[in-house]
Amino acid sequence: MIIGIDDTDSREGMCTTYLGALLMDELRQYGTIVELPVLVRLNPTIPYKTRGNACVGINIATSCPDKVMEHVISRISTMAALECDMTNPGVVFVQDDECESVRDVLGTFFQRAVKEVLSIEEAKYVIAKTGLQSKGFKNGRGLIGALSACGSILNPGWDHTFEYLAYRQREKWGTPRNVDKASFFVADSATYPATWDTVDVSNELVVCVPHSPDPVLYGIRGKDPEVVRRTAEMISSELLERSCVYCTNQGTDMHLIPVDSISEIQEMHSYIVSGFVSDDPFTIPGGHTIFSISDSSGASVECAAFEPTKDFRSLVRKLIQGDIVKVYGSFMNKALNIEKIEVVSLAPLVASHNPECPSCGKRMESAGKGQGYRCRKCGTKSPVLVQVNLKRDIEPGIYEVPPCARRHLAKPLVRFQNPSVKEFPSR
Ligand SMILES: [Zn+2]
């Protein structure tokens, strides 16, 4: 039986991945857990997401599915942050004999939930049409993620990474986390690039420890279950209550939709889109750096590197009109929020200055508007400015925001196979 759960957390506490980890341990009394649980991140632009827009899926081989369902529903009822307005849990169950008939419809639903904006009604329609057992709490928004998590297990083969999540003992929830920061840097240097986003080297930050009052102590992201477990063993911290390794679509760019034209871009979707820089970058109060790109369709879009992207903004500020770029990011509030940028080609940076006098070598001066240039010393005249190509302080390549500003779904450059890929800033 496959179990999908979503939307049990709130900004104040809980975490759907914790509930998943707890159930992984508790459900063993009813059968055998098949493979690793999944942690699915949905469309990151959805405004009513609680915190990380995470849902979880568990696959269990059991001879008593009714007991499993009762246990899961009881746990959600008592542990979900139901008092929070934004928390609307949902759970969906797919029985063994239902898997084949719902595989395709849930697989499509999963892909769409990561890229598009789905409604609760759509989730309820799929449930009604397939006859799957489910329970939606309050407005039932969590049914969207619950169906998606089931769809992800039924349709393996999507690009994936792994995350080891360490959970705090319950009496510690909401108190400051006791972790040895130095141990994260040691663990990172031992296993990077097989793990990533444990620390942000250039900003000297530990980025895998959340600040919210939820049960997560830290999460180690990496390319296989063995390396994330081994990295976690190197970390010194307060005692854990439990841990869990999830297979996840984090770090895969699954949310990005490649488009041929800027004119196809819509709010609350994420894209890979190419264009030429049509407005020079400028930095607005608050520290956000903005520029525009356009393409042959005549459409243009503002691209933004927000303040939390730190030094990434200094890279973006080096772009000039005419540079050809490919931008990876989410379109929200009329701006493309940059996660990565490929600088495809650079426009010449031309500076003009008054010509030197060919007779005496002195710099000539303007002879008046439209009158060309004249040497004040010897009177020689010249009609034109001299133009020189300046060296650009940026190279073609693909650049990403630092780990401290990374979106869950954004694929880090360490996962790219292309040797032309550049890390910025380099570590
Ligand atoms: Zn002269």
Side-chain angles (χ1 to χ4, degrees):
M1 179 171 61
I2 292 168
I3 308 161
I5 303 168
D6 185 26
D7 206 8
T8 66
D9 59 344
S10 72
R11 285 178 207 280
E12 288 74 42
M14 257 322 278
C15 171
T16 303
T17 74
Y18 173 76
L19 192 55
L22 182 73
L23 288 170
M24 285 288 289
D25 292 333
E26 292 181 346
L27 294 180
R28 287 180 211 282
Q29 61 182 303
Y30 305 113
T32 309
I33 304 290
V34 182
E35 298 187 331
L36 294 175
V38 296
L39 160 53
V40 166
R41 300 282 179 178
L42 302 183
N43 184 342
T45 70
I46 299 288
Y48 18 74
K49 66 184 177 189
T50 41
R51 242 192 345 264
N53 220 3
C55 40
V56 304
I58 295 171
N59 190 352
I60 181 171
T62 178
S63 54
C64 48
D66 290 344
K67 283 184 181 162
V68 172
M69 290 191 287
E70 191 185 328
H71 189 112
V72 171
I73 289 170
S74 148
R75 270 300 187 197
I76 296 172
S77 309
T78 54
M79 299 199 63
L82 290 166
E83 70 289 352
C84 172
D85 283 349
M86 301 279 278
T87 302
N88 298 282
V91 56
V92 170
F93 303 96
V94 183
Q95 308 296 337
D96 296 347
D97 60 0
E98 294 172 316
C99 288
E100 271 318 307
S101 64
V102 303
R103 186 186 308 279
D104 290 351
V105 64
L106 295 199
T108 306
F109 194 89
F110 160 53
Q111 289 288 338
R112 289 183 56 218
V114 176
K115 296 180 171 73
E116 298 174 21
V117 184
L118 302 186
S119 66
I120 304 170
E121 290 66 36
E122 212 166 336
K124 289 180 175 169
Y125 174 78
V126 167
I127 287 166
K129 207 175 163 199
T130 55
L132 290 173
Q133 284 162 290
S134 68
K135 183 165 175 62
F137 296 77
K138 295 162 65 184
N139 78 13
R141 185 174 302 284
L143 292 170
I144 297 171
L147 281 171
S148 305
C150 293
S152 75
I153 293 180
L154 286 166
N155 295 271
W158 35 278
D159 185 22
H160 58 274
T161 63
F162 296 87
E163 181 164 13
Y164 172 103
L165 281 154
Y167 299 102
R168 316 183 69 193
Q169 298 194 318
R170 198 162 305 192
E171 62 270 21
K172 296 284 175 64
W173 294 4
T175 66
R177 289 171 170 82
N178 184 6
V179 293
D180 173 14
K181 288 193 173 171
S183 70
F184 288 96
F185 285 88
V186 172
D188 172 81
S189 63
T191 58
Y192 177 91
T195 62
W196 52 84
D197 293 0
T198 303
V199 298
D200 184 324
V201 172
S202 57
N203 291 302
E204 296 176 9
L205 291 169
V206 173
V207 293
C208 68
V209 177
H211 301 290
S212 47
D214 64 82
V216 175
L217 186 61
Y218 60 83
I220 303 293
R221 296 174 178 196
K223 68 175 194 177
D224 64 60
E226 185 276 327
V227 74
V228 293
R229 285 195 189 99
R230 184 157 53 85
T231 306
E233 279 169 14
M234 291 182 243
I235 287 161
S236 309
S237 71
E238 63 188 52
L239 280 178
L240 304 183
E241 181 194 276
R242 69 186 74 239
S243 65
C244 187
V245 175
Y246 280 98
C247 175
T248 174
N249 66 342
Q250 290 170 173
T252 64
D253 278 352
M254 189 184 272
H255 60 314
L256 300 179
I257 304 167
V259 287
D260 293 328
S261 165
I262 293 170
S263 59
E264 296 173 47
I265 289 178
Q266 299 171 37
E267 279 284 330
M268 294 204 288
H269 291 67
S270 306
Y271 296 100
I272 304 174
V273 61
S274 297
F276 58 88
V277 176
S278 50
D279 258 332
D280 284 339
F282 61 98
T283 299
I284 61 172
H288 313 312
T289 298
I290 317 276
F291 64 95
S292 294
I293 61 169
S294 303
D295 66 18
S296 55
S297 75
S300 67
V301 63
E302 273 194 348
C303 303
F306 290 106
E307 190 283 331
T309 66
K310 304 295 172 196
D311 277 352
F312 181 74
R313 294 170 300 160
S314 63
L315 178 280
V316 164
R317 286 186 200 117
K318 293 173 181 175
L319 294 170
I320 61 169
Q321 286 179 41
D323 287 346
I324 294 174
V325 294
K326 188 189 272 189
V327 178
Y328 300 63
S330 296
F331 188 58
M332 305 164 71
N333 305 316
K334 298 180 182 168
L336 208 50
N337 187 334
I338 310 170
E339 294 166 8
K340 285 185 283 286
I341 188 167
E342 181 176 355
V343 179
V344 178
S345 67
L346 295 170
L349 178 59
V350 179
S352 16
H353 54 75
N354 296 4
E356 271 181 11
C357 173
S359 310
C360 70
K362 194 174 156 57
R363 184 76 64 201
M364 297 168 94
E365 290 178 7
S366 173
K369 198 173 179 198
Q371 304 291 303
Y373 300 87
R374 186 171 60 89
C375 177
R376 182 176 276 191
K377 195 171 168 190
C378 69
T380 304
K381 286 186 174 173
S382 168
V384 289
L385 279 173
V386 173
Q387 301 211 312
V388 288
N389 277 328
L390 299 182
K391 185 168 160 35
R392 294 289 305 276
D393 186 21
I394 176 174
E395 284 175 41
I398 182 165
Y399 302 86
E400 65 184 349
V401 302
C404 65
R406 181 123 48 219
R407 278 266 175 77
H408 293 303
L409 275 164
K411 182 172 171 176
L413 294 185
V414 289
R415 294 201 65 231
F416 281 62
Q417 300 300 313
N418 184 343
S420 80
V421 158
K422 290 190 175 54
E423 278 190 76
F424 183 86
S426 58
R427 49 181 280 165

